[in-house]
Amino acid sequence: MNVIECRGLSKSYRRKQALSNLTFTIKEHTITGVIGRNGAGKTTLLKTIAGFYRPSSGEIKVFEERPFNSIKVSQNMIYIDDQINLPGSLSLLEILHMVGRFYPNWDQELAARMLDYFSLNPQQRHHLLSKGQRSTFNAVIGLAARCPLTIFDEPTTGMDVAIRKDFYRALLKEYLAHPRTILLSSHLLNEIEDLLEDVLLIDQGKLKLHLPIDELKEYAVAIVGTKDLVGWMTAKREVLLEQQTGVNMYTAVVRRDESILEEARQHGLQVHPVSPEDVCVYLTKQTKGRIDDVFNRTEL
């Protein structure tokens, strides 16, 4: 069963094309990473899926309904980010009891245990928390709600490394115990890749790729050798990155295939794997040239 179906989805506002002709599906009971640089359109996409934004064109269905103003979608979805507006007059514990009334699968005991584990004072007020503490409390709500569709939009903003690791561990344990469809946006793919089943890469509002994480791990390789030999080897292939990496050494990142691996080894070239995060960086490169060019002065 597909929980989310997008066909030609586009969203524009204030003369800006935030999403452009996106077509993809998200299956039930999967964890999908929505990956992209800042400003790529991740939040616009997630808020459109959540029903907060009406699409400008194309079609989107969530639980087989158009999500905008859909009661069914609202009842079965929770959207977590660092901008949640919660009442300042209530304590954290009172907020948990209030939120729990909206979600039929809510686990108050789990929420209370996580509050204690993360050293969050249940009598504290939400607006008095630090940025990292607010993100942690918001994440607790997202996990304890156990919604069929759970959307985490950059949920770890402000968290330190140890808390982020604990959150990811808690998310995985909750998912295994109570499967649901989870969308997790981030620009730090290396932190979450072990959680993911699929990756949805967004670049300037367009869908760059949608792959299982295992395929993304095999997407590209780095070929290292002399410039002439590396250039000859990659001349007719899709090159994601090329740069000088030593006095006489040159590196090119190319789409992986068995023929290039064999040829590279035959000619004495080094072959190295490329991480999923680096692949996403290379595929969404928006700057001109390389950072090295900034330091190369042209004498007039």
Side-chain angles (χ1 to χ4, degrees), residues 111-134:
R113 290 201 309 269
M114 286 195 291
L115 220 63
D116 179 62
Y117 176 81
F118 289 116
S119 300
L120 294 172
N121 183 350
Q123 302 308 316
Q124 178 68 285
R125 295 296 192 266
H126 187 264
H127 70 282
L128 296 177
L129 298 174
S130 69
K131 189 168 187 177
Q133 288 175 323
R134 285 198 303 271

Side-chain angles (χ1 to χ4, degrees), residues 99-242:
V99 172
R101 292 198 291 268
F102 289 93
Y103 299 105
N105 298 326
W106 178 262
D107 189 327
Q108 181 66 26
E109 183 182 350
L110 173 65
R113 290 201 309 269
M114 286 195 291
L115 220 63
D116 179 62
Y117 176 81
F118 289 116
S119 300
L120 294 172
N121 183 350
Q123 302 308 316
Q124 178 68 285
R125 295 296 192 266
H126 187 264
H127 70 282
L128 296 177
L129 298 174
S130 69
K131 189 168 187 177
Q133 288 175 323
R134 285 198 303 271
S135 292
T136 302
F137 180 75
N138 297 346
V140 167
I141 292 175
L143 293 174
R146 290 179 175 163
C147 287
L149 174 58
T150 300
I151 301 175
F152 288 107
D153 188 3
E154 300 282 0
T156 60
T157 301
M159 292 184 191
D160 62 36
V161 174
I163 298 299
R164 292 203 303 270
K165 288 182 177 180
D166 279 340
F167 163 68
Y168 296 139
R169 179 65 177 166
L171 187 152
L172 180 59
K173 290 183 72 66
E174 258 299 291
Y175 172 73
L176 294 175
H178 302 276
R180 66 201 82 167
T181 303
I182 297 175
L183 300 182
L184 177 62
S185 84
S186 178
H187 54 273
L188 299 173
L189 179 56
N190 65 319
E191 283 198 352
I192 65 173
E193 65 177 84
D194 291 338
L195 290 172
L196 305 179
E197 294 162 84
D198 296 314
V199 171
L200 192 73
L201 179 62
I202 305 295
D203 182 35
Q204 300 183 72
K206 298 179 180 179
L207 179 63
K208 200 70 177 182
L209 59 79
H210 184 199
L211 291 175
I213 187 66
D214 289 341
E215 290 185 25
L216 188 58
K217 290 178 179 179
E218 302 293 326
Y219 190 87
V221 292
I223 307 297
V224 183
T226 63
K227 182 175 182 179
D228 289 343
L229 191 52
V230 170
W232 171 78
M233 181 69 63
T234 60
K236 295 182 179 180
R237 290 181 166 91
E238 180 184 351
V239 178
L240 307 183
L241 173 78
E242 52 185 353

Side-chain angles (χ1 to χ4, degrees), residues 19-54:
L19 301 175
S20 179
N21 197 33
L22 301 184
T23 297
F24 64 88
T25 58
I26 301 292
K27 295 179 180 178
E28 183 181 34
H29 298 167
T30 56
I31 304 179
T32 300
V34 181
I35 308 301
R37 295 173 180 253
N38 291 332
K42 302 188 300 296
T43 293
T44 299
L45 173 60
L46 294 178
K47 287 190 173 182
T48 303
I49 292 171
F52 300 159
Y53 294 163
R54 186 197 299 270

